């Protein structure tokens, strides 16, 4: 694993932290892996993948990265920030043109100096096609382009999460515990694929549950996750094969879809912030925490549990989400402004 080229974009190892007050509330030991903390572009899980992907891009002589996503995409924001930090050019092809305000990640994409191509409200398939057009256009002008797929979801990127599994395992053991279950938000799948590979390499039996937050965005979720896991295995642990039964995901906390409401999201935001001072966002991480809360209450969760905090907390400053969080929590609603 250490032979693959990697650029250190974080500068430190994100902590594994015991959440004592949430643990008491849920009557189960809960820890957090704080990948929401970091040194580049407001951090998050995409930075790990980019450490692998951008090192590879540079080894191929690329000077310009191109990727696509929604205007709210954490992956495009992280790509823009990482490109800025290492002096590569970055072009982002972004869909969904409402609302027109430059909120959240779109503001950050622009601040980090990415060239933005806003293509309106088109399908994900059409978005990928438009991105290919942009790649060809840039190549025709002599740019040396590296194309990152949506969500930076590649086998190479997923290897960073195999490494991360081993890192977190060592961290929790050093604190005298050991996790039985990992719960994380899951969309394009390299986080889940990589953690699952890390478990296989460690020959551990930890349950790893991917809480699907974008069920409708990607087709053939199990097939894609399996492909990512085995592509990653081929790169770092060719003796390992990941089987479909090694992967475990749930759509029970998806609610109305990607970025849309789901039961338990506001309680997750409420408990994490009030009891731990940790921010989770309504698009990704609050759905994973909602799963932990619900399964802990129904006693279908074996502890200690590691909540893998994949980042994205600044989505709460998107005016739509700010308003809905404020109005959903009585303790905020009752504050006189
Ligand atoms: C992208 C993202 C995920 C999902 O990661 P995948 O590896 O694409 O499944 C989870 N949480 C946050 C905050 C993300 O930005």
């Amino acid at each position: 694993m250490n032979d693959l080229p990697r650029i250190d974009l974080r500068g430190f190892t994100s902590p594994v932290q015991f959440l004592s007050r949430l643990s008491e509330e849920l009557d189960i030991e809960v820890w957090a892996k704080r990948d929401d903390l970091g040194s580049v572009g407001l951090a998050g899980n995409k930075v790990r993948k980019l450490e692998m992907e951008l090192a590879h891009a540079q080894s191929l002589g690329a000077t310009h990265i191109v990727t696509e996503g929604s205007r709210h995409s954490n992956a495009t924001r992280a790509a823009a920030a990482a490109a800025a930090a290492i002096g590569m050019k970055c072009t982002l092809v972004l869909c969904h043109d409402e609302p027109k305000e430059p909120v959240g990640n779109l503001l950050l994409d622009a601040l980090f100096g990415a060239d933005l191509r806003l293509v309106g409200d088109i399908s994900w398939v059409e978005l990928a096609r438009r991105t290919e057009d942009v790649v060809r256009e840039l190549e025709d002008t002599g740019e040396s382009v590296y194309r990152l797929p949506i969500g930076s979801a590649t086998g190479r990127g997923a290897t960073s999460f195999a490494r991360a599994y081993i890192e977190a395992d060592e961290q929790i053991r050093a604190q005298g515990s050991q996790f039985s279950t990992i719960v994380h938000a899951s969309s394009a799948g390299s986080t889940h694929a990589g953690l699952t590979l890390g478990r296989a390499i460690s020959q551990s039996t930890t349950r790893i549950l991917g809480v699907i937050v974008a069920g409708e965005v990607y087709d053939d979720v199990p097939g894609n996750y399996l492909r990512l896991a085995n592509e990653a295995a081929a790169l770092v642990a060719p003796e390992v094969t990941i089987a479909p039964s090694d992967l475990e995901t749930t759509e029970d906390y998806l609610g109305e879809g990607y970025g849309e409401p789901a039961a338990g999201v506001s309680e997750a935001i409420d408990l994490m912030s009030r009891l731990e001072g940790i921010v989770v966002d309504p698009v990704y991480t609050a759905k994973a925490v909602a799963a932990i809360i619900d399964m802990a209450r129904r006693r279908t969760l074996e502890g200690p549990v590691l909540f893998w905090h994949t980042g994205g907390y600044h989505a709460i400053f998107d005016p739509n989400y700010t308003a809905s969080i404020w109005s959903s929590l009585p303790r905020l609603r009752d504050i006189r402004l």
Side-chain angles (χ1 to χ4, degrees):
M1 203 171 310
N2 293 322
D3 292 346
L4 284 185
R6 182 169 76 98
I7 302 172
D8 183 4
L9 291 170
R10 288 166 297 140
F12 73 108
T13 306
S14 66
V16 163
Q17 197 182 349
F18 180 49
L19 306 184
S20 60
R21 288 179 22 92
L22 184 69
S23 299
E24 198 179 318
E25 169 78 22
L26 299 179
D27 196 21
I28 190 170
E29 207 177 300
V30 187
W31 297 68
K33 175 65 168 164
R34 300 294 306 275
D35 273 1
D36 56 319
L37 309 175
S39 55
V40 76
L42 301 185
N45 68 337
K46 302 305 180 302
V47 178
R48 283 190 190 269
K49 313 180 193 185
L50 288 164
E51 290 188 336
M52 309 304 301
E53 280 296 324
L54 297 191
H56 184 56
Q58 289 195 327
S59 76
L60 297 174
T63 53
H64 197 141
I65 58 172
V66 176
T67 190
E68 76 264 41
S70 81
R71 291 157 47 100
H72 305 288
S73 165
N74 291 319
T76 59
R77 177 256 307 160
I86 63 172
M88 290 183 84
K89 289 190 229 172
C90 178
T91 296
L92 302 177
V93 187
L94 302 172
C95 65
H96 297 301
D97 57 357
E98 298 295 338
K100 288 263 192 305
E101 294 90 52
V103 294
N105 279 325
L106 189 61
L107 170 65
L108 293 168
D109 293 342
L111 284 174
F112 294 137
D115 181 13
L116 305 183
R117 308 290 182 92
L118 294 158
V119 294
D121 197 1
I122 60 179
S123 73
W124 298 98
V125 173
E126 177 68 6
L127 179 64
R129 216 186 49 71
R130 292 287 286 273
T131 308
E132 291 301 331
D133 292 344
V134 170
V135 169
R136 270 192 298 278
E137 171 206 313
L138 291 169
E139 283 173 345
D140 286 347
T141 64
E143 290 291 309
S144 174
V145 173
Y146 186 79
R147 163 89 155 94
L148 264 176
I150 191 163
S152 296
T154 63
R156 181 177 297 273
T159 63
S160 68
F161 273 94
R163 173 196 287 272
Y165 178 92
I166 295 160
E167 172 185 301
D169 195 33
E170 284 168 1
Q171 285 176 300
I172 196 167
R173 283 173 199 278
Q175 296 180 72
S177 191
Q178 194 179 338
F179 38 70
S180 297
T181 312
I182 297 176
V183 179
H184 68 93
S186 198
S187 56
S190 35
T191 303
H192 192 71
L195 291 176
T196 303
L197 175 61
R199 175 184 63 193
I201 292 170
S202 311
Q203 299 184 325
S204 144
T205 55
T206 302
R207 178 182 181 198
I208 303 174
L209 180 64
V211 178
I212 299 281
V213 301
E216 74 283 23
V217 175
Y218 304 96
D219 44 58
D220 190 19
V221 163
N224 272 318
Y225 282 30
L226 192 64
R227 176 182 56 79
L228 288 167
N230 283 312
E231 281 175 13
L235 286 167
V236 295
E239 73 286 2
V240 172
T241 307
I242 303 297
S245 59
D246 294 327
L247 304 170
E248 186 186 358
T249 58
T250 174
E251 289 203 357
D252 288 356
Y253 305 93
L254 173 62
E256 293 166 35
Y258 180 61
E260 301 295 333
V265 160
S266 40
E267 185 181 23
I269 292 172
D270 182 34
L271 291 185
M272 285 295 276
S273 50
R274 188 160 51 79
L275 298 178
E276 297 292 345
I278 293 175
V279 179
V280 288
D281 78 284
V283 183
Y284 292 93
T285 47
K287 290 183 179 175
V289 172
I292 293 173
I293 295 169
D294 180 56
M295 294 191 303
R297 291 197 176 130
R298 290 192 291 111
R299 308 248 163 224
T300 55
L301 190 60
E302 194 187 324
V305 182
L306 182 69
F307 160 55
W308 203 291
H309 196 322
T310 44
Y313 55 85
H314 50 287
I316 68 163
F317 301 121
D318 178 319
N320 289 326
Y321 294 125
T322 305
S324 67
I325 293 165
W326 193 278
S327 61
S328 69
L329 293 180
R331 69 183 171 97
L332 304 187
R333 209 168 47 216
D334 295 344
I335 296 172
R336 287 169 57 97
L337 296 175

